Amino acid sequence: MSRQFSIILMLLFVSVFYGPVQLEAATPNVIVIMADDLGYGDLSCYGATALKTPHIDQLASEGLRFTSGYCSASTCTPTRYSFLTGTYAFRGKRTGIAPPNAPAIIKPGTETVASLLKRAGYTTAVIGKWHLGLGGDAGPDWNGELKPGPLEIGFDTCFLLPTTNDRVPQVYVKDHRVPNLDPADPLWVGNKKPSPDHPTGLTHRDTLKMDWSHGHNSTIHNGISRIGFYTGGHAARFRDEDLADKWVEKSVEFIEKNKEKPFFLFFASHDIHVPRMPHERFQGKTKLGYRGDAIIQLDWCVGELMKTLDRLQLAENTLVVFCSDNGPVLDDGYKDGALEKIGNHRAAGPYSGGKYSVYEGGTRTPFITRWKGRIKPGVSDEMVCTIDLPASLAALAGQSLPQDGCRDSYNMLGALLGKAGAQGRDHLVQQNNGNNGTYALRTGKWKLQRYDKQTARNIIVEQELSNTKVPHYQLFDLEQDPAENRNVIQDHPEVARQLKKQLADLIEQGSSRPGAVAPAAK
């Protein structure tokens, strides 16, 4: 009797006496792909016609495409904080957009999606944009050990863009150090001009290959001026055009190295954040300027990851989640043609607002899950959010949440996998940046906006950035008015009263997950 025949007989025996055989591993690999500044309407699978995103479209056609998928904030640092910790960023400290020399925002010992999966036996990695600070309270030691950082909150390895690429410095971080750093050319990062003759976007504007429009006019690197100042570290610096290739290269290395055991990869793309400088092979490939070109570069990255899973025969044992850290913005500090070439493209789809705002366009983004053989392809209207990934993936891996951890993360695994009858969230708090008093609460069809400072940095992505005076509260019926054009708070005073109280309670009580306890309440 052949060995193969013996195995078949054994499986049939187990199936008869013990029920169906689970041919897939109990702990699937998990890849979370987070785009940067990608809007609801920026992909062809979400209705875009000005460009095509075939690889992301394929991901959607083979999985579940959500129409009410959210990030928890409309800027990068707070969304990333909430995604990793499962806790709303407004509950934390220094969770606004992190400056170049920011210390680690997520402290060692904090439960994260990475630490939960690591405890379940996963090998964990983050590759790409970090923007959550590095180092102790004094900030990063760029020429020494950059810790604490990702490795102190559950990641086994990391290969990072330490801040965001419109902020200095333009170097990578591998685990705890800047690779290729020459001790004879130390890296210095600061908030003030290091010398009177230091080239900046103001003093050497005529040398720039991409001009700035506002706020990005300090140190020049690769013909592009940035926020902040730095000197040295020349051997460690990278070209903007090579970022996407590097993220794919390092991700493929990680997947290949860990193909025999469960792994968790957080693929944190920098596309399509400014400065948008895609690789030369993508430049000019769309009619939308470098912003459109960066979208198809992002699509290529997704395709390379999926090809790697297929090549290694891992696709049927890998849950892939595609999302974005916030909604779109056109002019975010550089003259890259995004405004002039927008045409009929609607980056936020049918929604108003975008990055920096709590209108739907700021937080409702593309959200796709795919697990071949386990997720039935289709479209879901259930409300899910990136903040729910820690609790959901913990449930997938059989891990329990600590009482004081992941305080706002709900187990949405059934909804994420498209299980029949599984429901998504019944409410979601949204914020713009940090904890500056701009919030929104969606409950069913109702959306309440709260502006404690009564000034909304309201991005309508087809226009310039503008500060708009708004009432303290606004109420919208998303079923009748998805673009949030008509404030109906005067028509529904009881609904407004209930939502005001619910939002205030959610903010003040320190947690929203049932059973979770805020640290102060211990």
Side-chain angles (χ1 to χ4, degrees), residues 153-194:
I153 57 170
F155 288 101
D156 291 305
T157 187
C158 64
F159 194 91
L160 309 174
L161 171 66
T163 59
T164 190
N165 204 29
D166 61 341
R167 287 160 172 77
V168 300
Q170 276 57 57
V171 297
Y172 297 118
V173 170
K174 171 71 168 70
D175 294 339
H176 286 139
R177 291 191 177 272
V178 175
N180 304 318
L181 196 60
D182 182 356
D185 183 29
L187 184 61
W188 173 86
V189 179
N191 299 322
K192 296 181 179 179
K193 192 171 181 177

Side-chain angles (χ1 to χ4, degrees), residues 116-123 261-262:
L116 288 162
L117 292 177
K118 184 174 181 177
R119 193 158 61 244
Y122 282 72
T123 302
K261 51 189 175 181

Side-chain angles (χ1 to χ4, degrees), residues 437-454:
T438 300
Y439 307 98
L441 172 65
R442 180 185 169 188
T443 302
K445 71 173 187 175
W446 297 109
K447 172 81 171 284
L448 179 77
Q449 297 180 3
R450 168 177 148 181
Y451 300 96
D452 292 350
K453 296 181 180 179
Q454 294 185 260

Side-chain angles (χ1 to χ4, degrees), residues 28 30 32 111-124 154 262-265 389-390 392-399:
V30 177
V32 174
E111 194 77 277
T112 66
V113 63
S115 64
L116 288 162
L117 292 177
K118 184 174 181 177
R119 193 158 61 244
Y122 282 72
T123 302
T124 58
F263 63 80
F264 166 59
L265 170 62
L389 290 174
S392 303
L393 295 178
L396 180 68
Q399 297 298 304

Side-chain angles (χ1 to χ4, degrees), residues 267-444:
F267 182 89
S269 174
H270 190 262
D271 289 323
I272 52 177
H273 195 284
V274 297
R276 300 164 188 135
M277 186 54 65
H279 194 274
E280 287 85 351
R281 66 183 184 276
F282 296 107
Q283 293 179 15
K285 297 299 183 180
T286 73
K287 297 179 180 179
L288 300 179
Y290 279 0
R291 186 177 185 275
D293 301 343
I295 292 174
I296 64 168
Q297 177 172 263
L298 167 68
D299 184 68
W300 171 83
C301 291
V302 173
E304 291 302 298
L305 294 180
M306 298 308 103
K307 289 175 186 176
T308 301
L309 293 179
D310 290 340
R311 174 170 57 83
L312 299 176
Q313 298 183 330
L314 296 174
E316 294 186 354
N317 191 38
T318 302
L319 170 63
V320 179
V321 180
F322 180 89
C323 55
S324 180
D325 67 346
N326 51 251
V329 58
L330 298 187
D331 181 353
D332 204 21
Y334 293 97
K335 298 180 180 180
D336 59 5
L339 277 171
E340 295 81 1
K341 299 182 179 182
I342 189 65
N344 295 323
H345 181 67
R346 298 282 299 179
Y351 304 110
S352 295
K355 186 177 183 178
Y356 309 113
S357 84
V358 291
Y359 282 81
E360 287 293 280
T363 54
R364 193 187 297 212
T365 62
F367 201 114
I368 300 166
T369 58
R370 188 197 79 168
W371 183 0
K372 281 190 172 183
R374 291 294 297 270
I375 293 178
K376 182 180 179 181
V379 178
S380 174
D381 296 329
E382 297 297 329
M383 182 161 62
V384 295
C385 181
T386 51
I387 200 172
D388 296 321
L389 290 174
S392 303
L393 295 178
L396 180 68
Q399 297 298 304
S400 59
L401 299 177
Q403 196 176 42
D404 62 349
C406 306
R407 289 180 274 146
D408 301 292
S409 189
Y410 284 71
N411 178 7
M412 293 287 109
L413 185 61
L416 293 172
L417 299 183
K419 297 295 185 181
Q423 295 183 336
R425 277 181 162 263
D426 61 4
H427 74 277
L428 177 67
V429 179
Q430 302 157 51
Q431 65 175 101
N432 60 351
N433 183 43
N435 40 14
N436 63 359
T438 300
Y439 307 98
L441 172 65
R442 180 185 169 188
T443 302

